[in-house]
Amino acid sequence: MKVDNTTQKHNWHIIFIMAGAMTASLIGSGFATGQEIIQYFVAHSWQGLLGILTTFITVAFMGYAFFRVGLNRKKDLSSPNDVFIIFAGQKIGTIYKYLALIVLFLTYAVMVAGAGATIHQQFGIPVIVGSGIMYILSAGTVMLGLEKLTNILGNIGPVIAVIAIILGFIGLFMYQGNLDQADQLVNAALANDTIHAASGNWLISALNYVGLIIMLNAGFLAQTGTHANQIKETKAAALLSSGIYAAGILILFLAFMAGFSRVGGAQVPSLIIANDIHPIVSYLFIVIIMLAIYTTIVAMLWNVASSVAIEGTKTHKWITALIGLIATLIGLFLPFDQLVNIVYVVSGYFGIVFLFIMIGKFIQMHRQYKR
């Protein structure tokens, strides 16, 4: 059923909640710790700026497309990842539907490992402690259900983004005298494997990044779109969220370029900046990193669990606890930066293919709508 009451005024509360939920789902351990930004953008030196612009445009399109499907085809989204079938058809869509579940499961493991790595880097506490706490919090939240989950994420997401941007600004100010050395230092770090690159080309890296976002967030964003009342709200929410997200990437990119000699080889680069500002700031930023991880993994765990069992049932709660526990144990076996480089990049390539499927389908849907 299509809903597009163009005479109705925007409900800005819905727009902000949707944009906040989308932002929160995008900002996970890779973003907050800085590993994503190092591998997808900084690794390409100043060409990374082109990658950030590409990311902004494609994430805005992606968010709008998924929100709009959620608005117009609520009845076709009985399972979170049915959105893949809507765009790609029954055969290919079904393959992507189950592939997305595998990606979500593995990425949950990556992000829980990120929580453990952050706590270990700052306090020397065993990785299993931080990872275990994050597992308990995320599983408990998923058991509350989608409506409460959306409201929680919608309020936390923008706050995390703003604080990350402020940290980046301060870091850029502190390190700005070293910007002329950034290109040379980045290339040297790549040559000796101090840092990893998602791809050898900035455009492929940016598209891979968006492809990863698609694989991780398609189901959640489509379900979030069901909260909208009209298409204009989906446009505004997607544009607002992608703008906030791209701004955060840009500022942290510049801070990391300027302070590359300090942050280049760190598991948690953003925490190095926080420590350089003041030890107290580093403790506060650990809380922000944990919140960023939390807001993302609860959406992932909800997606996987809700694809296996009906939300609100005892079976759903048991499935949530079991899936989260298994993923947490897997996340403890490999270093965080290696997990990011392997799981994220491979998943991103599958997402790139689906991005082009989405563009073709969206053009077709738009033409039919105009007729």
Side-chain angles (χ1 to χ4, degrees):
M1 178 178 174
K2 184 174 290 185
V3 182
D4 185 22
N5 185 355
T6 55
T7 62
Q8 183 180 357
K9 291 183 178 180
H10 291 3
N11 186 328
W12 284 102
H13 175 71
I14 291 177
I15 290 172
F16 287 136
I17 288 295
M18 288 175 60
M22 176 175 165
T23 304
S25 68
L26 298 177
I27 296 176
S29 62
F31 176 91
T33 61
Q35 272 297 329
E36 281 180 3
I37 296 167
I38 291 287
Q39 296 190 25
Y40 284 91
F41 304 105
V42 173
H44 299 290
S45 191
W46 295 113
Q47 288 184 326
L49 292 171
L50 297 175
I52 295 171
L53 177 61
T54 302
T55 299
F56 165 65
I57 295 170
T58 48
V59 167
F61 162 75
M62 175 213 70
Y64 169 54
F66 286 140
F67 282 160
R68 182 166 176 174
V69 164
L71 169 65
N72 289 343
R73 301 186 63 172
K74 297 179 183 181
K75 294 181 179 179
D76 298 325
L77 294 171
S78 57
S79 177
N81 291 321
D82 283 345
V83 65
F84 289 106
I85 296 175
I86 293 175
F87 277 105
Q90 190 66 40
K91 292 182 179 179
I92 297 177
T94 300
I95 293 173
Y96 265 93
K97 176 179 177 178
Y98 291 106
L99 181 61
L101 290 178
I102 296 172
V103 172
L104 285 162
F105 174 79
L106 291 175
T107 306
Y108 178 92
V110 171
M111 294 197 174
V112 171
T118 301
I119 295 296
H120 177 71
Q121 178 174 310
Q122 185 67 18
F123 302 109
I125 296 174
V127 172
I128 192 173
V129 175
S131 296
I133 292 172
M134 191 56 63
Y135 156 65
I136 293 171
L137 290 174
S138 61
T141 304
V142 170
M143 293 176 188
L144 294 175
L146 177 63
E147 184 174 352
K148 290 184 179 179
L149 175 60
T150 302
N151 288 330
I152 291 171
L153 301 190
N155 288 306
I156 295 177
V159 175
I160 297 171
V162 169
I163 292 175
I165 290 171
I166 293 172
L167 181 79
F169 265 122
I170 298 174
L172 178 60
F173 179 78
M174 286 193 308
Y175 305 135
Q176 60 180 324
N178 300 320
L179 274 172
D180 58 340
Q181 305 172 18
D183 186 67
Q184 181 181 353
L185 292 173
V186 169
N187 290 329
L190 283 170
N192 59 29
D193 289 329
T194 301
I195 63 171
H196 303 287
S199 167
N201 178 273
W202 68 265
L203 180 58
I204 298 299
S205 283
L207 292 177
N208 187 283
Y209 191 52
V210 178
L212 171 66
I213 291 172
I214 289 172
M215 297 302 295
L216 296 178
N217 297 292
F220 179 72
L221 293 179
Q223 292 286 342
T224 302
T226 64
H227 291 79
N229 296 312
Q230 53 178 318
I231 289 177
K232 289 182 179 180
E233 290 174 354
T234 66
K235 290 180 180 179
L239 188 61
L240 177 60
S241 177
S242 60
I244 294 172
Y245 189 55
I249 293 174
L250 174 62
I251 297 304
L252 286 175
F253 168 85
L254 293 173
F256 291 159
M257 288 291 284
F260 191 81
S261 61
R262 293 280 299 134
V263 306
Q267 291 283 311
V268 188
S270 57
L271 193 55
I272 298 295
I273 296 179
N275 270 301
D276 284 352
I277 295 172
H278 195 280
I280 294 178
V281 176
S282 67
Y283 296 137
L284 293 175
F285 197 69
I286 286 174
V287 176
I288 298 304
I289 291 175
M290 291 301 181
L291 285 174
I293 296 172
Y294 162 79
T295 58
T296 305
I297 65 174
V298 290
M300 293 176 182
L301 186 57
W302 170 85
N303 189 316
V304 177
S306 298
S307 297
V308 177
I310 298 174
E311 185 182 49
T313 63
K314 289 185 178 179
T315 302
H316 182 269
K317 290 180 171 61
W318 280 108
I319 288 294
T320 297
L322 181 61
I323 290 174
L325 178 60
I326 294 172
T328 300
L329 293 175
I330 291 174
L332 296 174
F333 282 99
L334 285 174
F336 177 53
D337 58 345
Q338 290 184 28
L339 280 168
V340 170
N341 193 252
I342 296 170
V343 175
Y344 282 21
V345 174
V346 172
S347 304
Y349 282 117
F350 285 106
I352 290 175
V353 175
F354 195 80
L355 173 63
F356 288 107
I357 293 174
M358 283 180 64
I359 293 172
K361 182 67 174 180
F362 197 78
I363 291 172
Q364 180 185 1
M365 292 167 60
H366 186 67
R367 286 175 178 172
Q368 291 175 351
Y369 173 73
K370 289 180 71 176
R371 290 173 187 169

